Every structure is written in C-alpha cells, then in structure tokens.
Amino acid sequence: MAGNYFGVLVSDPWLQNQFTQVELRSLKSHFLTMRRETGSLTLGDLPSRMSKLKNVGENLTEDERAAFLHDSYQNLGDEVDFELFLRVYLNIQAHATSRMGKGAKNSSAFLKSPTSTLLHTISESEKASYVGHINNYLGEDSFLKKFLPIDPSTNDLFEVAKDGVLICKLINVAVPGTIDERAINTKTVLNPWERNENHTLCLNSAKAIGCTVVNIGTQDFIEGRRHLVLGVISQIIKIQLLADLDLKKTPQLVELVGDNQDVEELMGLPPEKILLRWMNFHLKKTEYKKTVTNFSSDVKDAEAYAYLLNVLAPEHSNPSTLVVRDALKRATLVLEHADRMGCKRYLTAKDILEGSPNLNLAFVAHIFQHRNGLSTPEKLVSFLEISPDEAQVTREESAFRFWINSLGVATYINNVFEDVRNGWVLLEALDKVSPGIVNWKVANKPPIKMPFKKVENCNQVVKIGKQLKFSLVNIAGNDIVQGNKKLILAYLWQLMRFNMLQLLKYLRSYSHGKEFTDSDILDWANTKVKSTGSQTCMKSFKDKSLSDGIFFLELLSAVQPRVVNWRLVTKGQTDEEKQMNATYIISIARKIGCSIFLLPEDIIEVNQKMMLTLTASIMYWFFKQPIEDQRSCGSSDSDIGNQLETSSTSTTYDTESESSTD
C-alpha cells in the first residue's frame, strides 16, 4: 500500500488507496512545511496555506476554500493531523471538480498530467483503443500470446500488466532495443521480488524513452491502479506513433519548409506540432480554408479529415463524405475511407465528435505512418546526413533531455538546444537539483517576446552555475540564448554531474559529510569488483577496456549477485558481442533500480561522461540498500567509510569538471 511509506501516520486503508506513493510523499512535505511555519496547524489555517497545492490552489480562491470549510466542519479551531489534512484535501478537490463542471468528457485529462489525483477515472474509449493496439503489435509475442488478445470491454489489461512483462515488451515496440529482453523475468508465475524487478525495469526504461513517470511507483502497477497504468501505456503508444515525425527518420518532411533556416526551426518542433504542420500542408491543396491548430475542437466535425484523406488516397474517396451535412455520418465515412487505406482506426466516429485529443492524435499519426504523401528528391535532403561527432552530440542531447524531463520540471523538453534558449527550463531544472537556489522574483516566465528577457534568465543560469562551482570560463547568458550547442551540453553535463554527487553526499552515513569526487566513485567501483576476487580494473572513466562491458557486469554482480545471468554474457571481443553486453548492462542496471539515460553505443565507444553517470548510479543504488543487504554483498560500514576516507582528495571540483567535459 502507498501508505506504508508513512507507517501509522496513514493507517486508514481507504486513504491509502486514494494516493500514489509519491503523491503521499509530496503532500506530507507540504503538510510539514505548513505546520512548521506556525508550530501548529488548524482547519482555519488551511484556506490560505493550501494555495500552492495543485488543483486545489488553482481552481478555488482562498475565500471559496474558506467558505467550503466553514460549511463542512463545525470547529475550525481543531488541530489538523496528516490524515485529517488528506481528507480535507480530497474533499476540497471534489468540491473544485463539481464547481468546474468536469465530467466524463474530461476523463482523459490525466494523460496531460498522468500523475494528477484530481480525476481517477479512465476513458473506456481510450482503453479500448490501446488494447486494440497491444493486441495488434504483441499478439504474436512468444510469451504474451497466451494472454492475448485482451478483451477491451473488461479490465483484463490491468491484470495482464501486473507482472510487468507486457509494458516492457510495449516499450520495445515503441523504441526497439530499449530493453534487453533477456533481462525481463518471464516465468509463468513470478514471485513478488521478480515482479517488482520487472516494474522497476519498465519505469526506468519508460523514463529513458521520454515518458513522464514522476509520481508513479512499482506498487501502483502491482496494485493495478488503472488511471496510472493507462497513463503510462498511453505515453508509450504515443511515442511509437510519433516516432517517424523526425527529419532523420522521414527526411521527406523537409518538403514542409522553404529554406535551411526553416529546417532548423522544424527540427526543434515537438512531434505533435510537426504533425499539425504536415496536416495543414496537405489541407492547403484543397478547398478547406481553416488552419487546424489542435487534435480536439478543430477536427470535431470531421471535415478536415475528409479533405485530408481525399488528398492522400483519392482512389478510396467517397463523394458523399464532403457533401453530407450530419457530422456523425461524415465521421463514419471518414473512418470507412481510412479502413480502405489500410489504416487502423484508434477511435470511433463518436470519439471524433467528442474531440478526444489522445485518440485523434493517434489516428492522424497512424495515417502519417501509413501514407504521408511527401516525395522530396534525395538531393534536397542530403544535408541532413550527420558526422560521427554530430551523432554523439545527438545522443548526449537525448540523454540530457530525458534526464531533465525525469526531474519533473513543469516544462516538457522536446529539443534541448531549442527549448533551453529562453533560460526558463534551465532555471526549473536548477531548482529541482538545488531547491531554493533560483531567484524567481527576477525570472521571466514564457512566453517571452523580448530577447533581453531571455538573456536575463540565461544570465541567472550562468550565475547559479558559478555558485555551484561549474567550470564556465568565457560562457555568458547570451551563448545559451544563441543556442551554442557545445556550451549548452557542457553546462548540462556539469548540472547532471552535480546532481549525482549531491545525491551521494546526502547519504551522509557513508560519506561522513565528505564531498564525493570522481576519484571516490572510481575507487569504490574498483574496490567492489576486487572484493569478488576479480582482477578486472577500471583505470579511468575513459579506459578503452570498458568497451567489452565485462567490468560493469562484474560491478553489477558485486552489488547484486543474483542480477547477472553469466550464461548470457559474451566475451565482448567482436562488435556484436560488445553490443549484446552493453544492452544487457543497461537493462539490468535499470532492473535493480538505476535511473540512467545512456545508450549501448556510449559503453562501446567509452563515452567518459556516461561511464561516470553509470558508475555513480550503481553506487547510489547500492548505498540506498539496507545495511544487511550490503553486507551480504561483502561490504561492511567500516569498509565503505575507510574506502571513502582513503580516496584521493587532491582533485578539486573545478578541475574535475574540466576533465570530465573533455
């Protein structure tokens, strides 16, 4: 149960079932902050103190909250404990929902904020659509075929998802190769430990492909919390359907723009925006005069769909589609047209009329995958070819993008080099990594039209970086505004590294208050591997011998002996063997609980930055385990303490930053 995190503080089973684990942690933090400000907390204090709480603060004024509490509780002087606080929170939420008149038509709102507690309902249409997708893409899977097809009219989806295998496999459909399927536990009956490993692997892998899973834990999957499970499935399917909306995968998209400058702009757009631009590009060839700006209200009458499909597949058109006046009939004819094209529906005519944004997006994305109607000559897209150095920059951009999104910042990043240029999302990331360090009073919130306002934000970003002792020689805020890729990557690397070292530092029972350094992490890893009797050693984070993956497999085995199946490990001599080992390393690291954002190529090519992040993540995971578990892996408290005390302390923070960003 989620409430177990707080023990007897949340003893009521009903309350435990209303929140996820992370939601309870967040609310507990808010509660303690409120009570600490005055030393006590009464019902009468809550209207003013709850303004910062999501949904409650946004949807009701302080006076409205006060009036509701006055009508609901007899004595506003009663002191509030955590359980009463939770009940008041839920009651005010319900009141806010009824005041806003929100009903079933907004039941897909959780997909925009998949961790919201405002609505715990699910859309049956969306569930049926996603079940159909799963049946289609995973129906022949050797393990899952005994559970498929799933009946969309039942809740069997959530039962099948409880062992974690289905969502792991779905991630690999969306982004092939993300999970090494040798790391998935696929017995017919899994014990609780194995089931938890699968869910841990699933959630860490979902983060690594761009899903937002900030407030979701493994227990939510095990308990089958439907709104959260469906929210993750929705995001994974969305990533799959939008995968081709990328100039590298579909260079013909260059036809949508005029010159090279416009191409740069196109590359910085999120996939949904590119899909809208593609749709409007074709609609301009028709008599349709409107511009489609969303996948909800702008397509509810199905008229835009009718014109779009007539352009893409005129051979399947029905003349009645453009002349029929009834929107429901038009939507039905549109779907029949799509069927003749061989496109999967993803939605019903009723879903179109109701303006379901998720299902309409899925429908249009599938049409694009099936027939995009673009035919740009190869000579016009040759400039999109990238060099090996540019390929590494692209990989690092992806790693930093997914890492920042995993922090739970309010602004979702689609392209690092474009989205950080106004400075706002970097300030959000800094505030997550070092709470309170940002001066929000002088920050400029998007949309920002005046260039100097962007420079002001980025100047604060650089100033904070210097406070945190980043190496920022000759870097100014304007460099970020101008989109200097090299400097942006250098800054983000130091921010990620700072975050890792801070996480390790917080484990003071091991660090004894000592600052962690790269040398500490290197020495710890070598000591752990040596403790198993192995002679393998990592000389530095750019040691080329790491490319075979053996050292990291031995390190993972040292911290969790049962996690590595050595029968699956290769010698790492050929490129293929190195690839197999690298993929396996990433999956089993995520399986035990490491949140990492590297690719197999980073291990094979020994990317120094990613080698450090991988090692530090394993170290952090190990230090979080109960002492008895660490001892079973051959470490005592004194071993850890002595190791850290004797590590080299001569390297300064700035020097490490410079060497780490070579």
Side-chain angles (χ1 to χ4, degrees), residues 590-656:
R590 288 174 178 155
K591 181 177 179 177
I592 64 173
C594 298
S595 182
I596 49 178
F597 301 91
L598 72 164
L599 294 171
E601 291 82 358
D602 293 314
I603 297 176
I604 296 168
E605 297 171 14
V606 192
N607 181 322
Q608 180 184 357
K609 300 172 187 175
M610 296 305 158
M611 296 303 92
L612 173 57
T613 63
L614 174 59
T615 311
S617 296
I618 297 171
M619 182 182 186
Y620 178 63
W621 175 84
F622 177 73
F623 279 173
K624 288 196 302 179
Q625 304 313 298
I627 294 297
E628 57 271 20
D629 290 350
Q630 294 181 20
R631 286 172 177 160
S632 70
C633 298
S635 293
S636 66
D637 294 346
S638 59
D639 290 337
I640 297 170
N642 292 337
Q643 179 189 330
L644 295 176
E645 288 296 329
T646 57
S647 294
S648 171
T649 57
S650 61
T651 309
T652 66
Y653 194 102
D654 286 311
T655 304
E656 287 182 86

Side-chain angles (χ1 to χ4, degrees), residues 288 290-305 351-357 360:
Y288 191 73
K290 301 175 186 176
T291 298
V292 178
T293 61
N294 59 63
F295 294 105
S296 183
S297 58
D298 286 0
V299 295
K300 287 173 71 170
D301 60 6
E303 194 174 343
Y305 287 154
D351 294 325
I352 294 177
L353 265 60
E354 291 180 351
S356 171
N360 277 298

Side-chain angles (χ1 to χ4, degrees), residues 444-465:
N444 304 294
K445 188 174 182 179
I448 305 173
K449 294 182 179 179
M450 304 299 290
F452 75 91
K453 295 288 187 182
K454 298 179 183 179
V455 175
E456 287 178 352
N457 280 353
C458 292
N459 282 341
Q460 185 178 181
V461 167
V462 173
K463 180 182 177 182
I464 293 172

Side-chain angles (χ1 to χ4, degrees), residues 350-421:
K350 184 181 177 183
D351 294 325
I352 294 177
L353 265 60
E354 291 180 351
S356 171
N358 295 300
L359 297 184
N360 277 298
L361 174 65
F363 179 57
V364 179
H366 186 69
I367 292 171
F368 176 86
Q369 282 187 340
H370 193 75
R371 187 178 297 197
N372 62 41
L374 303 173
S375 56
T376 302
E378 288 186 12
K379 63 180 181 180
L380 294 180
V381 298
S382 59
F383 68 91
L384 293 172
E385 297 176 3
I386 60 175
S387 67
D389 287 344
E390 289 172 323
Q392 180 167 333
V393 167
T394 300
R395 288 208 307 270
E396 290 189 8
E397 185 274 336
S398 297
F400 293 137
R401 170 163 36 98
F402 294 143
W403 171 67
I404 293 174
N405 286 333
S406 77
L407 296 175
V409 296
T411 307
Y412 188 87
I413 295 185
N414 290 285
N415 182 297
V416 164
F417 301 128
E418 291 299 319
D419 295 349
V420 304
R421 290 174 63 178

Side-chain angles (χ1 to χ4, degrees), residues 407-601:
L407 296 175
V409 296
T411 307
Y412 188 87
I413 295 185
N414 290 285
N415 182 297
V416 164
F417 301 128
E418 291 299 319
D419 295 349
V420 304
R421 290 174 63 178
N422 63 17
W424 182 261
V425 75
L426 288 175
L427 292 174
E428 288 184 315
L430 284 162
D431 194 54
K432 290 289 184 181
V433 169
S434 184
I437 201 167
V438 176
N439 183 355
W440 292 109
K441 292 181 180 179
V442 299
N444 304 294
K445 188 174 182 179
I448 305 173
K449 294 182 179 179
M450 304 299 290
F452 75 91
K453 295 288 187 182
K454 298 179 183 179
V455 175
E456 287 178 352
N457 280 353
C458 292
N459 282 341
Q460 185 178 181
V461 167
V462 173
K463 180 182 177 182
I464 293 172
K466 291 177 179 177
Q467 279 181 244
L468 300 177
K469 300 182 181 179
F470 292 178
S471 177
L472 299 174
V473 180
N474 298 324
I475 296 181
N478 195 51
D479 294 313
I480 298 174
V481 176
Q482 295 300 319
N484 186 312
K485 292 183 179 181
K486 182 178 179 181
L487 297 182
I488 289 172
L489 290 178
Y491 190 97
L492 289 175
W493 160 241
Q494 293 181 82
L495 181 59
M496 178 188 269
R497 178 180 172 279
F498 173 81
N499 183 50
M500 289 186 304
L501 296 179
Q502 286 297 103
L503 289 173
L504 289 169
K505 181 183 175 182
Y506 290 153
L507 298 168
R508 292 187 179 276
S509 57
Y510 304 110
S511 68
H512 305 291
K514 173 182 177 294
E515 294 282 352
F516 275 92
T517 66
D518 295 4
S519 297
D520 292 331
I521 298 169
L522 182 72
D523 292 344
W524 172 83
N526 281 323
T527 301
K528 288 303 300 177
V529 171
K530 186 177 179 180
S531 70
T532 66
S534 171
Q535 300 302 310
T536 310
C537 176
M538 174 169 55
K539 298 181 180 66
S540 71
F541 294 112
K542 49 187 176 182
D543 185 344
K544 292 301 181 183
S545 69
L546 297 175
S547 67
D548 63 12
I550 300 300
F551 179 84
F552 288 112
L553 288 164
E554 292 189 337
L555 177 59
L556 286 162
S557 182
V559 300
Q560 176 54 275
R562 63 181 292 275
V563 76
V564 178
N565 183 344
W566 287 100
R567 291 176 297 177
L568 303 176
V569 176
T570 72
K571 293 181 179 180
Q573 295 176 345
T574 66
D575 289 345
E576 183 181 357
E577 289 179 343
K578 289 179 180 179
Q579 177 78 23
M580 292 177 69
N581 283 354
T583 305
Y584 191 51
I585 288 165
I586 293 170
S587 290
I588 59 176
R590 288 174 178 155
K591 181 177 179 177
I592 64 173
C594 298
S595 182
I596 49 178
F597 301 91
L598 72 164
L599 294 171
E601 291 82 358

Side-chain angles (χ1 to χ4, degrees), residues 86 95 151 174 222 237 249 287 290 321 330 356 362 554:
L86 292 178
H95 178 60
D151 183 349
I222 293 168
I237 292 175
K249 292 186 178 180
E287 297 176 5
K290 301 175 186 176
T321 309
R330 186 185 305 116
S356 171
E554 292 189 337

Side-chain angles (χ1 to χ4, degrees), residues 250-305:
T250 311
Q252 292 82 8
L253 282 166
V254 75
E255 191 176 341
L256 304 183
V257 297
D259 54 38
N260 287 7
Q261 186 175 357
D262 291 332
V263 170
E264 286 290 327
E265 179 194 350
L266 187 68
M267 293 178 75
L269 290 177
E272 297 95 320
K273 296 292 186 184
I274 297 177
L275 192 61
L276 285 171
R277 183 172 291 198
W278 166 81
M279 191 173 178
N280 286 313
F281 172 79
H282 285 303
L283 288 175
K284 286 178 182 178
K285 304 173 186 177
T286 72
E287 297 176 5
Y288 191 73
K289 302 305 179 185
K290 301 175 186 176
T291 298
V292 178
T293 61
N294 59 63
F295 294 105
S296 183
S297 58
D298 286 0
V299 295
K300 287 173 71 170
D301 60 6
E303 194 174 343
Y305 287 154

Side-chain angles (χ1 to χ4, degrees), residues 184-354:
I184 304 173
N185 298 319
T186 54
K187 295 190 306 187
T188 303
V189 180
L190 300 178
N191 62 43
W193 180 269
E194 293 166 330
R195 188 182 300 115
N196 190 70
E197 283 184 332
N198 279 352
H199 291 308
T200 303
L201 171 60
C202 154
L203 288 173
N204 282 321
S205 299
K207 282 193 288 186
I209 66 170
C211 294
T212 302
V213 294
V214 178
N215 283 10
I216 303 175
T218 58
Q219 195 66 22
D220 298 313
F221 282 90
I222 293 168
E223 294 176 2
R225 289 179 179 268
R226 298 187 302 159
H227 67 295
L228 296 176
V229 174
L230 201 65
V232 172
I233 289 173
S234 168
Q235 292 183 77
I236 296 168
I237 292 175
K238 178 180 175 182
I239 288 169
Q240 177 191 344
L241 292 175
L242 296 178
D244 288 344
L245 286 149
D246 180 284
L247 276 167
K248 298 180 185 68
K249 292 186 178 180
T250 311
Q252 292 82 8
L253 282 166
V254 75
E255 191 176 341
L256 304 183
V257 297
D259 54 38
N260 287 7
Q261 186 175 357
D262 291 332
V263 170
E264 286 290 327
E265 179 194 350
L266 187 68
M267 293 178 75
L269 290 177
E272 297 95 320
K273 296 292 186 184
I274 297 177
L275 192 61
L276 285 171
R277 183 172 291 198
W278 166 81
M279 191 173 178
N280 286 313
F281 172 79
H282 285 303
L283 288 175
K284 286 178 182 178
K285 304 173 186 177
T286 72
E287 297 176 5
Y288 191 73
K289 302 305 179 185
K290 301 175 186 176
T291 298
V292 178
T293 61
N294 59 63
F295 294 105
S296 183
S297 58
D298 286 0
V299 295
K300 287 173 71 170
D301 60 6
E303 194 174 343
Y305 287 154
Y307 280 102
L308 176 66
L309 296 185
N310 274 357
V311 170
L312 296 175
E315 71 275 18
H316 297 303
S317 64
N318 182 337
S320 302
T321 309
L322 295 176
V323 297
V324 68
R325 293 187 178 182
D326 183 76
L328 182 61
K329 290 181 179 178
R330 186 185 305 116
T332 302
L333 291 171
V334 162
L335 293 177
E336 290 174 357
H337 191 163
D339 284 342
R340 291 192 292 274
M341 290 171 60
C343 292
K344 299 179 188 67
R345 289 196 174 192
Y346 284 100
L347 77 179
T348 64
K350 184 181 177 183
D351 294 325
I352 294 177
L353 265 60
E354 291 180 351

